Amino acid sequence: MASMASPPSGLSVSAVSLTPLLSQALTSKDDALLERCLALAYNNQTVRLNTVRSLEPHLALELVRALTSRLARKPSRASAVSAWIASTVNAHAAYLANNEDAKSVLGTLQAGVEARCAVLPLLLKVQGQLDLLVAQIPQDTNARTPDGRAQPVATYDEGMEDEHDSDDSDDDIDDSDDDDDDDDDD
């Protein structure tokens, strides 16, 4: 399948040239051609709107059905697919509102959109919690190696600890505690 991308440079796309291709793709249920049509007008709202306005109403329903199916299969394409759905529904609202098949397709679309929207509050909550966690992490940009990696905050050197243990005794620790007690008595 082709990905949603702008047409190759130098290629001019218009609704006049895209409508017959889109009609053929919908009539023949040619997924590859449909993907190509969707990609050609992905970044051009005017071409997209004029193309769906030029579609016959029954083909507009087929387009909504195909787009709803794509949205259900691959939710990551919601941005591109929803632009086409919105243009189609706006251009053919009267037909879609009075067609029983369209009501079924639109009901499926609405259920999918509601399911995605139901997750949004939870995602926002998690995002907020992650933002708080990330904000608590010190961001010392000076503690970086020349290649951009973060310097360790602390390092453990076993040899250093052995030297430290031989120099210090437990009495030193107790003495510091005693000094604190002496300060309290004064």
Side-chain angles (χ1 to χ4, degrees):
M1 282 190 178
S3 62
M4 297 273 185
S6 58
S9 58
L11 181 62
S12 175
V13 178
S14 71
V16 173
S17 62
L18 193 56
T19 302
L21 285 176
L22 185 58
S23 297
Q24 179 183 349
L26 294 168
T27 302
S28 65
K29 300 194 185 311
D30 184 341
D31 282 341
L33 183 57
L34 178 58
E35 285 295 328
R36 185 68 182 144
C37 292
L38 297 176
L40 286 171
Y42 173 65
N43 290 326
N44 192 330
Q45 180 180 1
T46 303
V47 170
R48 188 173 52 243
L49 188 56
N50 289 337
T51 299
V52 295
R53 282 181 183 155
S54 300
L55 281 178
E56 295 177 27
H58 74 281
L59 290 177
L61 174 58
E62 289 305 314
L63 179 59
V64 172
R65 180 177 284 127
L67 294 170
T68 300
S69 172
R70 279 168 173 66
L71 185 60
R73 280 194 319 258
K74 195 162 184 179
S76 62
R77 292 181 64 189
S79 172
V81 171
S82 63
W84 275 96
I85 291 172
S87 296
T88 306
V89 169
N90 286 334
H92 294 279
Y95 175 80
L96 296 173
N98 294 313
N99 185 297
E100 288 302 317
D101 289 339
K103 290 177 185 177
S104 171
V105 172
L106 293 173
T108 303
L109 174 62
Q110 182 180 9
V113 170
E114 285 177 354
R116 287 185 60 125
C117 289
V119 177
L120 289 178
L122 180 60
L123 289 175
L124 289 172
K125 182 179 178 180
V126 169
Q127 181 183 13
Q129 291 170 338
L130 289 173
D131 288 345
L132 285 172
L133 288 173
V134 169
Q136 292 176 6
I137 299 171
Q139 299 295 322
D140 187 5
T141 56
N142 295 330
R144 300 240 174 233
T145 62
D147 63 355
R149 291 183 297 156
Q151 291 278 4
V153 174
T155 57
Y156 174 74
D157 188 356
E158 197 170 312
M160 293 291 290
E161 184 178 293
D162 291 340
E163 291 172 15
H164 180 65
D165 287 345
S166 64
D167 292 343
D168 294 338
S169 66
D170 290 337
D171 294 334
D172 291 340
I173 296 173
D174 291 337
D175 288 342
S176 65
D177 289 341
D178 291 341
D179 290 343
D180 289 341
D181 291 341
D182 291 341
D183 291 341
D184 291 339
D185 293 339
D186 291 336

